[in-house]
Amino acid sequence: MLRLPQFSVQTPATLEAALGLLAAHAGRALPVAGGTDLLPNLKHRLAEPEVLISLAGVSELRGISVGADGALTLGAMAPLDQIASHPDVIARAPALAQAAGIVASPQIRRMGTLGGNVMLDTRCRYINQTHFWRKALGFCLKKDGTVCHVVAGGQKCVAAASNDTAPALMTLGGELVLRSQAGGERRMKVDDLWKTDGIFNKKTRLDELVVSVHVPAQHAGHHGAYGKLRERESFDFPQLGIAVRIDLEAGRVADADVAMVALQARPLHLKDVADTLRGTTPGAADFVAAVDKVAERAHQQCHPLPNIPGDPDYRREMVPVYVRRTLLAAVGLGSRPVA
Ligand SMILES: Cc1cc2nc3c(=O)[nH]c(=O)nc-3n(C[C@H](O)[C@H](O)[C@H](O)COP(=O)(O)OP(=O)(O)OC[C@H]3O[C@@H](n4cnc5c(N)ncnc54)[C@H](O)[C@@H]3O)c2cc1C
Ligand code: SF4
């Protein structure tokens, strides 16, 4: 049985108290939300905090609401199953509801939160292992070692961003509301959150918390979908995650976006999607031809690495298939790919 290391747990009841504790234990503390990723990682000694600051009692971090302008505010502690089943999220941000609804398994979605999902650590087949296993291999750059086992001679960790909600939030123009005691409140586009460094792939401060996620009101003709390739349909991290937004005006594509996860340390937008699809009519031949072109370009742009489970050549061949099917599903032309 894998045991947790020694640490103390603080249970603040307010956001101010949580921020104060993070500041007081700077660099030695980590926030814990649902704990569904952090606790297994602690068992594997991927992080060794002296203090865990539980956000479970901080009511300011909960709730889902719609503003007068139609924007969604989603508390960082909103559980994923609540995001997936909330009528306002389903109606206004379908790709996000779908992405949240196929994270892991039902039990994990009840514990796991949106904030924890956005802030999820990167994953790699050589790091998400026991300490004993990693030691036998000789550790690696991300923790305790000096080499990368994915890229021979590599000096940069390329562990993969594996959070399903990240690409969905990127296509929706989502923004994080962040707070720290020293820096106060600031907003950051989810697009701007990422670094290409798999050791820590986010531009947040160590003493900062995600308070909420803001999803602006979408176009009146908004459509969205999330497709996911994974080993087991019942529960698994993505081997590819594909979020799609298509905005229609008078039956034609006015704007579109595709973002993907589970390739490299940062989720990425596909290039030229809007220019290729704009002006085409879903259901007509021009749309199908444009979708095929986007899928073909996705194949050129995406080069999965042997960083997460799943043969990288197979994952690459699945890129155009999943991009195509998710684009069609977004406008009701087929079912979205989820296995
Ligand atoms: C078997 C299994 C399968 C899984 N499958 C998937 C999957 O398919 N897709 C997927 O995306 N994830 C998956 N996960 C990972 C995880 O369950 C989810 O990502 C979940 O949403 C994490 O949320 P949490 O609240 O449990 O985060 P926690 O584990 O509590 O925290 C995760 C990280 O975020 C930080 N954090 C949490 N809240 C905040 C905050 N408000 N501000 C700043 N930092 C914060 C923590 O310090 C920690 O570093 C899986 C996990 C398991 C065990
Ligand atoms: S990509 Fe390389 S350095 Fe990063 S976790 Fe995997 S093996 Fe370690």
Side-chain angles (χ1 to χ4, degrees):
M1 186 174 76
L2 293 175
R3 292 184 184 281
L4 283 165
Q6 292 282 322
F7 50 77
S8 66
V9 180
Q10 299 282 346
T11 55
T14 65
L15 181 56
E16 275 318 310
L19 294 172
L21 284 163
L22 262 183
H25 298 284
R28 293 179 291 116
L30 282 175
V32 58
T36 60
D37 197 65
L38 184 59
L39 294 185
N41 287 353
L42 295 185
K43 288 184 175 179
H44 289 171
R45 305 299 189 266
L46 298 183
E48 293 168 81
E50 291 169 22
V51 185
L52 282 193
I53 299 168
S54 169
L55 305 179
V58 182
S59 57
E60 294 109 302
L61 301 178
R62 295 193 175 268
I64 296 177
S65 60
V66 185
D69 62 353
L72 285 166
T73 299
L74 311 163
M77 285 297 285
L80 293 169
D81 72 342
Q82 200 184 349
I83 303 276
S85 60
H86 198 285
D88 287 318
V89 185
I90 294 170
R92 290 160 194 277
L96 177 62
Q98 291 171 14
I102 49 172
V103 168
S105 62
Q107 293 92 334
I108 291 173
R109 291 194 293 274
R110 245 166 254 144
M111 293 288 295
T113 64
L114 182 62
N117 193 253
V118 171
M119 295 303 288
L120 187 74
D121 199 0
T122 55
R123 295 186 65 79
C124 173
R125 64 202 314 169
Y126 299 104
I127 196 78
N128 295 105
Q129 303 286 354
T130 62
H131 185 269
F132 173 80
W133 191 102
R134 292 188 296 113
K135 185 177 178 189
L137 187 72
F139 297 116
C140 76
L141 284 171
K142 186 165 161 77
K143 181 79 170 51
D144 305 319
T146 55
V147 294
C148 175
H149 304 292
V150 173
V151 181
Q155 289 306 304
K156 197 165 188 180
C157 172
V158 292
S162 302
N163 31 3
D164 284 300
T165 65
L169 289 169
M170 286 163 63
T171 59
L172 293 161
E175 267 188 328
L176 304 181
V177 177
L178 299 163
R179 252 175 86 178
S180 64
Q181 196 176 60
E185 187 166 299
R186 65 177 179 139
R187 290 171 84 116
M188 184 190 278
K189 286 222 171 257
V190 177
D191 257 359
D192 298 331
L193 176 64
W194 316 108
K195 294 192 290 184
T196 53
D197 181 0
I199 293 179
F200 186 65
N201 70 338
K202 299 164 198 78
K203 295 180 194 160
T204 48
R205 299 161 48 121
L206 288 177
D207 62 347
E208 207 162 37
L209 285 177
V210 178
V211 175
S212 60
V213 181
H214 176 86
V215 177
Q218 301 296 308
H219 189 282
H222 172 79
H223 291 69
Y226 187 71
K228 176 169 173 173
L229 173 69
R230 52 185 166 173
E231 212 164 328
R232 293 162 294 187
E233 197 180 335
S234 52
F235 81 113
D236 243 329
F237 283 93
Q239 292 182 338
L240 284 177
I242 295 153
V244 162
R245 172 176 60 79
I246 298 181
D247 297 336
L248 298 181
E249 258 172 41
R252 289 174 189 269
V253 177
D255 196 14
D257 193 12
V258 176
M260 300 183 54
V261 76
L263 291 164
Q264 47 183 263
R266 57 158 303 157
L268 54 90
H269 285 281
L270 285 187
K271 293 180 193 138
D272 305 325
V273 173
D275 288 346
T276 310
L277 291 172
R278 192 173 291 118
T280 62
T281 308
D286 63 348
F287 180 73
V288 175
V291 165
D292 286 344
K293 199 176 274 182
V294 172
E296 193 184 306
R297 290 199 183 137
H299 188 250
Q300 289 160 7
Q301 289 172 39
C302 298
H303 300 274
L305 296 164
N307 48 3
I308 53 175
D311 177 63
D313 294 334
Y314 172 72
R315 284 163 53 219
R316 182 155 187 237
E317 293 316 306
M318 287 299 104
V319 166
V321 176
Y322 274 63
V323 166
R324 188 174 188 282
R325 289 187 191 165
T326 312
L327 280 164
L328 294 174
V331 290
L333 300 171
S335 52
R336 66 196 174 97
V338 290

